[in-house]
Amino acid sequence: MQPIPCKYHPRTAARWHCPRCEVSLCPGCVRRPSAPFQENPDCPLCERPTRSLGLGNVIVPFWRRLPRIFAYPLHSTPLTYLLGLSLLALATAFPLVGLAVPLLVGLAVLQYSFRVLAHTADGHMEPPPVSVSRNEEDTLPRVLALGAVYAATFLLAVLAGGYLGMAGYFAASLFFSLMLPASILFVGLEQGLVRTLFRALNPVSLVALAVRIGPAYLLLFLFMQLLSGAGPQLAVLLAALAPSWAVPAAIAFGWSYMHLVTFHLLGYVIYQYHEELGYEVDVRADESGGEARPALSGGTDELLGQVDVLLKEGELGRAEELLRKRIDQQPTDLEAWQRYYRVLQAGGDDGRLVEESKDYISALLLGRRAGPAMRVAAEALEREPGFRPAKAEQVLPLARAAREGGQPHLALRLVNGFGKAHPGHPDLPALTMLAARILSEDLNQSARARPLLEGVLRHFPEDPAAAEAHHLLRAIGTPEPATGGGS
């Protein structure tokens, strides 16, 4: 089943639905609950409570997580445990203990496998430690129940064959083979040996569980069949590669590895369909360490998420009101400024846009974003040729950004008139020198650069820009004038 997408972020699965606005929303779009005891978040449009679409819509389905599932035993804890059990399997070479070792290794793997299943079903994607809170009284009955399920299904198939002939035997074998994943899920879900066996062998319960999972159950059955054959194949492959003395360890490792993969897969299926199965998890889908589909990237906060929704719905007035409040509270919030500027552009009020551009430029420069600030200044100049930044000291970084951005004419427009407006400003020598370099080096207009360079030498002989003017005058082949401090 394809997940329901968020209306405003189609590549993200929706978590909530607003029945009044008829929109599905991802976690990045909704607002916090407005009422004290309200569980579901509010819709960003009507600001009323939303309805849950179920965590199953945001949990990554197991068939899209297969690479991680197959790599699960490679985590340090299960890998160390499996290697230790594989080394223990080397003891099969000893006459007295050789028969007991495979049984002990198998029981140890089964016990840890059920711990993995329960841990994953609770929503934890990292493997559990070998020693966990679930004690032997909890895992041993599950191991016994699993063995009893295998034995009972074989006996039931034999009984069916006795009453109905070979057709009955094959029909019963096919049914219990198809229902084996459901039987193991019941063994992992239920408490108590008798209740577990009743549910795991009851055809009605098995079919009901498969129906609750839906068509994905058939896919799970297919994967279980593949995994049941993959364990022996991996064991044979490792045994062929290992030296003769290590063959028991290689076989034990291959079988144990695929066993953990199988039980981790089953645990994840419980987690994915926990609402359908009525299973309580410890970890919510949006807290599961990345196992849910991501909400939004970029750290967009709640208010800005609401603004984005309003902008996509064309509600510029509400978006502007929210953004103006945010900017008044946080004048350097560049994400809010970016959206606010976009709203002003869409509004068509050039005078207001030019006036607000001054504060936006100030915020960008405080955030060391000279390039975007220069682009805002360029648009303001296009709308109002006499535009000037809010502060004189902002002209130099803007002009430098314009030149570095390949816009020398814009840089000259920003610098033009600065000397008359701010005759004693400390940035005047550097700005004059910048204009001279643009004329000489970028626009090939050395004749226009010469009086600017001479002015730097005449009016600012002690400024570091004077030495720069000396060098540039020599480079363009112009005689140096006498400085203001003659001998």
Side-chain angles (χ1 to χ4, degrees):
M1 181 184 70
Q2 289 295 323
I4 300 171
C6 171
K7 178 181 179 180
Y8 306 105
H9 305 94
R11 299 176 66 180
T12 303
R15 175 67 178 87
W16 311 97
H17 179 77
C18 178
R20 288 161 293 278
C21 302
E22 288 297 325
V23 294
S24 298
L25 305 160
C26 67
C29 288
V30 292
R31 301 175 71 248
R32 294 178 186 175
S34 53
F37 300 103
Q38 178 182 323
E39 291 186 0
N40 293 352
D42 286 343
C43 170
L45 296 173
C46 66
E47 300 185 0
R48 300 282 299 279
T50 56
R51 266 194 337 219
S52 172
L53 288 174
L55 292 177
N57 195 58
V58 295
I59 297 175
V60 177
F62 69 86
W63 54 89
R64 293 185 182 175
R65 198 179 177 275
L66 289 178
R68 291 187 183 184
I69 289 174
F70 277 96
Y72 184 83
L74 296 178
H75 286 82
S76 58
T77 298
L79 183 61
T80 303
Y81 188 59
L82 293 185
L83 288 174
L85 292 176
S86 300
L87 291 176
L88 180 61
L90 294 175
T92 55
F94 296 97
L96 295 179
V97 297
L99 295 176
V101 167
L103 180 61
L104 292 175
V105 170
L107 286 174
V109 171
L110 280 172
Q111 282 190 316
Y112 187 62
S113 296
F114 274 110
R115 290 171 182 164
V116 165
L117 186 149
H119 197 67
T120 306
D122 285 342
H124 305 286
M125 297 303 122
E126 294 297 320
V130 175
S131 178
V132 293
S133 58
R134 294 176 178 268
N135 54 33
E136 304 299 324
E137 295 178 359
D138 191 22
T139 55
L140 257 179
R142 298 183 192 277
V143 174
L144 296 174
L146 182 63
V149 165
Y150 279 109
T153 54
F154 174 74
L155 290 175
L156 289 173
V158 170
L159 288 174
Y163 283 102
L164 302 174
M166 290 301 294
Y169 172 79
F170 283 119
S173 298
L174 179 61
F175 174 80
F176 284 112
S177 176
L178 183 62
M179 292 294 109
L180 180 60
S183 294
I184 300 178
L185 289 176
F186 273 126
V187 173
L189 287 169
E190 297 295 339
Q191 300 290 333
L193 182 59
V194 176
R195 177 178 172 82
T196 299
L197 288 175
F198 176 77
R199 299 295 299 277
L201 295 172
N202 186 339
V204 176
S205 299
L206 295 174
V207 172
L209 186 145
V211 169
R212 285 200 293 271
I213 293 177
Y217 181 84
L218 295 176
L219 188 60
L220 173 63
F221 169 73
L222 176 62
F223 283 129
M224 289 285 291
Q225 292 298 306
L226 294 174
L227 287 171
S228 65
Q233 291 296 323
L234 180 60
V236 170
L237 175 63
L238 294 177
L241 298 175
S244 57
W245 60 267
V247 167
I251 293 175
F253 184 84
W255 176 80
S256 303
Y257 187 97
M258 284 303 174
H259 210 78
L260 282 190
V261 169
T262 301
F263 276 67
H264 176 54
L265 170 63
L266 290 168
Y268 193 83
V269 169
I270 295 174
Y271 173 60
Q272 181 180 341
Y273 295 99
H274 66 272
E275 290 188 331
E276 291 84 350
L277 300 176
Y279 185 82
E280 291 291 331
V281 299
D282 291 340
V283 180
R284 290 171 53 86
D286 51 0
E287 299 171 350
S288 61
E291 300 312 319
R293 295 182 180 90
L296 290 176
S297 60
T300 304
D301 65 23
E302 179 184 305
L303 182 139
L304 297 182
Q306 181 182 9
V307 166
D308 288 340
V309 170
L310 293 172
L311 291 177
K312 290 175 181 177
E313 291 290 341
E315 298 194 25
L316 301 183
R318 288 181 62 193
E320 181 182 341
E321 181 182 354
L322 291 172
L323 289 168
R324 186 67 257 179
K325 289 180 180 178
R326 164 61 68 85
I327 290 170
D328 289 341
Q329 296 169 352
Q330 302 178 29
T332 58
D333 186 339
L334 295 183
E335 290 197 25
W337 264 114
Q338 182 183 25
R339 290 163 173 81
Y340 185 59
Y341 187 69
R342 202 165 75 213
V343 170
L344 294 176
Q345 286 176 313
D349 187 341
D350 286 358
R352 189 174 174 205
L353 176 66
V354 169
E355 192 61 31
E356 294 284 6
S357 295
K358 296 179 181 181
D359 290 337
Y360 187 19
I361 289 171
S362 299
L364 286 166
L365 290 176
L366 283 173
R368 302 182 182 276
R369 303 287 302 280
M374 175 268 295
R375 289 189 285 274
V376 173
E379 183 171 353
L381 281 169
E382 289 298 317
R383 296 173 185 266
E384 174 55 61
F387 171 78
R388 289 292 179 267
K391 298 178 181 179
E393 56 267 24
Q394 294 173 348
V395 174
L396 182 57
L398 290 172
R400 283 175 173 167
R403 189 193 185 200
E404 292 169 1
Q407 300 189 55
H409 292 287
L410 173 60
L412 290 177
R413 288 184 69 186
L414 289 166
V415 173
N416 187 34
F418 186 88
K420 290 182 181 179
H422 309 283
H425 197 278
D427 284 347
L428 183 57
L431 281 167
T432 306
M433 195 64 222
L434 177 63
R437 283 199 174 278
I438 290 173
L439 291 168
S440 175
E441 299 172 354
D442 300 342
L443 303 179
N444 197 25
Q445 298 180 18
S446 298
R448 292 182 60 192
R450 186 177 300 118
L452 296 179
L453 295 170
E454 292 172 350
V456 171
L457 291 172
R458 184 167 52 253
H459 298 295
F460 310 106
E462 304 300 326
D463 194 274
E468 192 177 348
H470 277 294
H471 291 297
L472 188 54
L473 281 170
R474 282 198 295 268
I476 64 178
T478 304
E480 300 176 16
T483 64
S487 57

